[in-house]
């Protein structure tokens, strides 16, 4: 019913190959969201069957798509340190993070982080390389499973916790005195203009190097270098004074009040690559086939977001319904366990795992989706052919528009075709190699025509604006 309403006036929703159909799966009944172990189980199961889903039911534009990347690619970025994207590597990363969070919980540190906070000693240089933010919000960032932030007593600090106080080192686990004589920085003081966290750590700002290190290591100013590699270089380059031990207090984010949510939040931050909190842009980690970023929200808002399915299903409501059911069944099966074995899982195992093999309706849905998927080579030829036809149609309409100055109709038609070509270009770049002359040769040969079209469009727009200005002036004089 919703799909039918979207296609009707006044909306008249239209979709193309790049449109995605996103399904959010939550847990509104039974109290609470899934536990952090269950969230990890869903992610591990998806990594095992991701290749089978890609090959069986997803069209080519939903496979090689910058806004619909494989989850294993994103998890490889979160694991860091040269981890190649694969199902086994992603599952190992998940198992490693879950084991650390279980130890964190069993030691009572989750409760401590929700209360007064974890207190311990750490070197200035190591702390500087593992935190990110500004004076108002300093978070522990993910630098990979083999490079965690640990306190002097060996306690592991999960990514996602916030630094609220920095002081001169005292006894391990001790707190700054009541007079605050040993406090170098605190979040409350920073909010009202207190001393900056980065100056307390011996640098000018987030990611900056001590000036002494820069004088001896000018290569640290190479902004094309990997940020974490540069941070490691600078940590090694700094003088011994920069490694003075300081005392830190780390707590859960202020918006988190229960342990279940904290552990889910820390799981997401530990699995996925770090996104600076002060950057006003969408988190790139959500642009994958299974978006986990919403799993760290409150229970009533938390969801798994399945982004893989194509959005051209508005005309096929049963295909839409089947994908919704599949996402729900897959989530439930993953949370129930047992966990699938490591590595890529074949299609037959996926159908048994998600319960499709014994469900006549869902088996028919799977077969119908699979029959619509063309082989990759055939799909690429179809995409290239359609793009070439659309491009040639735009060229013809642009020439017609240039010959007819009296009627804006041909120009508007050329604009519609121009928008279609422009929208298709982003997707086709991900599917057709740059040396394919049948596509990009045609585009390169039409550069002059494109410039003339833009000039024509600008000239017509100025004429229309001039007429509008004159009309407004007459109306004002009459008024």
């Amino acid at each position: 019913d919703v799909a039918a309403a979207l296609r009707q006036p006044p909306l008249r929703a239209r979709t193309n190959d790049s449109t995605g159909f996103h399904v959010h799966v939550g847990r509104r009944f039974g109290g609470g969201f899934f536990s952090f172990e269950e969230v990890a189980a869903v992610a591990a199961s998806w990594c095992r069957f991701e290749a089978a889903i890609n090959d069986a039911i997803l069209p080519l534009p939903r496979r090689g798509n910058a806004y619909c990347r494989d989850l294993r690619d994103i998890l490889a970025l979160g694991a860091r340190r040269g981890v190649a994207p694969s199902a086994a590597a992603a599952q190992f990363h998940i198992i490693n993070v879950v084991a650390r969070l279980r130890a964190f919980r069993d030691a009572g540190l989750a409760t401590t982080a929700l209360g007064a906070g974890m207190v311990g000693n750490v070197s200035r240089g190591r702390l500087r390389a593992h935190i990110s933010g500004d004076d108002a919000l300093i978070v522990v960032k993910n630098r990979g499973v083999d490079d965690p932030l640990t306190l002097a007593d060996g306690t592991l600090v999960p990514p996602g916790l916030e630094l609220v106080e920095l002081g001169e080192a005292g006894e391990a686990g001790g707190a700054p005195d009541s007079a605050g004589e040993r406090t170098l920085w605190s979040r409350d003081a920073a909010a009202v203009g207190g001393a900056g966290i980065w100056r307390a750590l011996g640098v000018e700002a987030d990611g900056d190097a001590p000036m002494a290190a820069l004088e001896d290591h000018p290569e640290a100013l190479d902004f094309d270098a990997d940020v974490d590699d540069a941070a490691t270089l600078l940590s090694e380059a700094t003088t011994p004074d920069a490694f003075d031990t300081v005392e830190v207090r780390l707590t859960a984010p202020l918006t988190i009040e229960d342990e279940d949510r904290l552990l889910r939040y820390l799981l997401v931050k530990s699995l996925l690559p770090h996104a600076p909190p002060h950057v006003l842009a969408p988190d790139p980690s959500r642009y994958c086939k299974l978006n986990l970023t919403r799993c760290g929200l409150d229970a009533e808002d938390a969801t798994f977001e399945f982004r893989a399915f194509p959005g051209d299903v508005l005309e096929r409501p049963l295909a839409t319904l089947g994908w919704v059911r599949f996402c729900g069944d897959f989530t439930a099966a993953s949370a129930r366990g047992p966990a699938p074995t490591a590595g890529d899982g074949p299609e037959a195992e996926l159908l048994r795992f998600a319960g499709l093999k014994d469900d006549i309706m869902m088996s028919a849905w799977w077969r119908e989706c699979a029959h619509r998927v063309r082989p990759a080579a055939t799909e690429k030829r179809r995409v290239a052919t359609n793009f070439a036809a659309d491009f040639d149609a735009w060229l013809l309409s642009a020439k017609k528009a240039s010959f007819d100055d009296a009627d804006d109709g041909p120009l508007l038609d050329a604009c519609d075709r121009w928008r279609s070509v422009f929208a298709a270009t982003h997707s086709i770049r991900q599917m057709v190699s740059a040396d394919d002359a049948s596509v990009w040769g045609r585009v390169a040969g039409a550069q002059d025509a494109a410039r003339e079209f833009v000039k024509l469009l600008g000239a017509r727009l100025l004429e229309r604006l001039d007429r509008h200005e004159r009309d407004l002036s007459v109306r004002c004089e009459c008024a």
Side-chain angles (χ1 to χ4, degrees), residues 26 50 133 195 244 252 255 331 370 444 457:
E50 191 167 45
D244 291 345
T255 56
T331 302
L457 184 60

Side-chain angles (χ1 to χ4, degrees), residues 51-217:
I53 295 172
N54 287 348
D55 295 340
I57 65 172
L58 296 187
L60 193 63
R62 299 307 293 170
R63 300 184 215 174
N65 190 318
Y67 296 96
C68 188
R69 299 175 63 182
D70 286 350
L71 177 61
R72 64 182 68 183
D73 293 344
I74 300 297
L75 292 180
L77 294 175
R80 309 300 289 272
R81 304 303 177 192
V83 175
S86 70
Q91 290 166 317
F92 179 77
H93 176 42
I94 293 170
I95 291 170
N96 195 321
V97 169
V98 169
R100 292 183 177 187
L101 287 179
R102 281 175 177 159
F104 179 80
R105 176 196 61 191
D106 295 344
L109 295 177
T111 302
T112 302
L114 287 166
M118 298 170 55
V119 178
N121 295 337
V122 66
S123 73
R124 271 190 173 92
R126 189 143 185 81
L127 180 64
R128 182 171 60 238
H130 282 81
I131 60 174
S132 175
D134 50 38
D135 277 354
L137 178 65
I138 302 294
V139 298
V140 178
K141 65 181 180 181
N142 181 21
R143 279 175 55 90
V145 292
D146 60 347
D147 188 16
L149 176 62
T150 54
L151 302 180
D153 61 0
T155 301
L156 184 139
V157 181
L161 292 184
E162 297 180 0
L163 179 64
V164 297
E165 198 168 69
L166 179 71
E168 296 178 3
E171 296 182 2
D177 56 46
S178 57
E181 295 177 357
R182 292 196 286 115
T183 300
L184 300 174
W185 172 90
S186 68
R187 179 164 62 186
D188 293 339
V192 294
I197 175 67
W198 303 109
R199 289 188 179 279
L201 291 173
V203 294
E204 294 298 320
D206 182 359
D208 282 351
M211 295 310 296
L214 288 178
E215 293 172 359
D216 298 333
H217 295 269

Side-chain angles (χ1 to χ4, degrees), residues 28 36 60 70 164 247 276 299 312 343 385 415 419 426 446 462:
R28 190 55 59 91
F36 81 93
L60 193 63
D70 286 350
V164 297
E247 186 178 82
D312 61 353
T385 301
C415 287
R419 281 196 296 271
H426 180 76
L462 287 176

Side-chain angles (χ1 to χ4, degrees), residues 260-279:
D260 287 342
R261 185 192 168 190
L262 174 61
L263 291 170
R264 285 188 280 108
Y265 175 82
L266 296 179
L267 174 75
V268 172
K269 293 298 182 182
S270 300
L271 289 177
L272 303 179
H274 171 70
H278 53 278
V279 176

Side-chain angles (χ1 to χ4, degrees), residues 329-473:
D329 292 345
F330 185 91
T331 302
S334 302
R336 282 195 306 266
T341 55
D344 288 310
E347 180 181 339
E349 181 186 342
L350 168 63
L351 298 181
R352 289 194 301 271
F353 178 81
L356 273 67
K357 189 173 181 61
D358 300 323
D359 189 317
I360 296 176
M361 291 293 293
M362 290 300 293
S363 295
W365 166 79
W366 182 271
R367 288 195 301 271
E368 194 269 343
C369 291
H371 290 161
R372 287 179 173 269
V373 176
R374 303 177 181 89
T378 303
E379 185 72 4
K380 286 183 178 180
R381 286 197 300 270
R382 183 190 68 84
V383 169
T385 301
N386 290 347
F387 179 83
D390 289 343
F391 194 85
D392 290 342
W394 165 73
L395 275 177
L396 181 60
S397 62
K399 290 179 180 178
K400 290 181 179 179
S402 65
F403 293 139
D404 192 348
D405 295 334
D407 184 10
D408 285 337
L411 180 61
L412 294 177
D413 178 63
C415 287
D416 284 337
R417 296 183 184 279
W418 173 268
R419 281 196 296 271
S420 298
V421 169
F422 188 84
T425 301
H426 180 76
S427 296
I428 202 171
R429 284 187 189 280
Q430 302 169 42
M431 293 180 280
V432 179
S433 62
D435 58 356
D436 190 328
S438 65
V439 174
W440 306 120
R442 176 181 274 98
V443 173
Q447 294 296 317
D448 291 339
R451 293 190 190 95
E452 292 302 319
F453 174 73
V454 172
K455 290 179 181 178
L456 173 65
L457 184 60
R460 293 285 186 89
L461 180 60
L462 287 176
E463 292 173 6
R464 184 68 65 88
L465 288 173
D466 287 340
R467 291 201 302 268
H468 185 60
E469 181 186 21
R470 289 194 298 271
D471 181 66
L472 285 177
S473 298

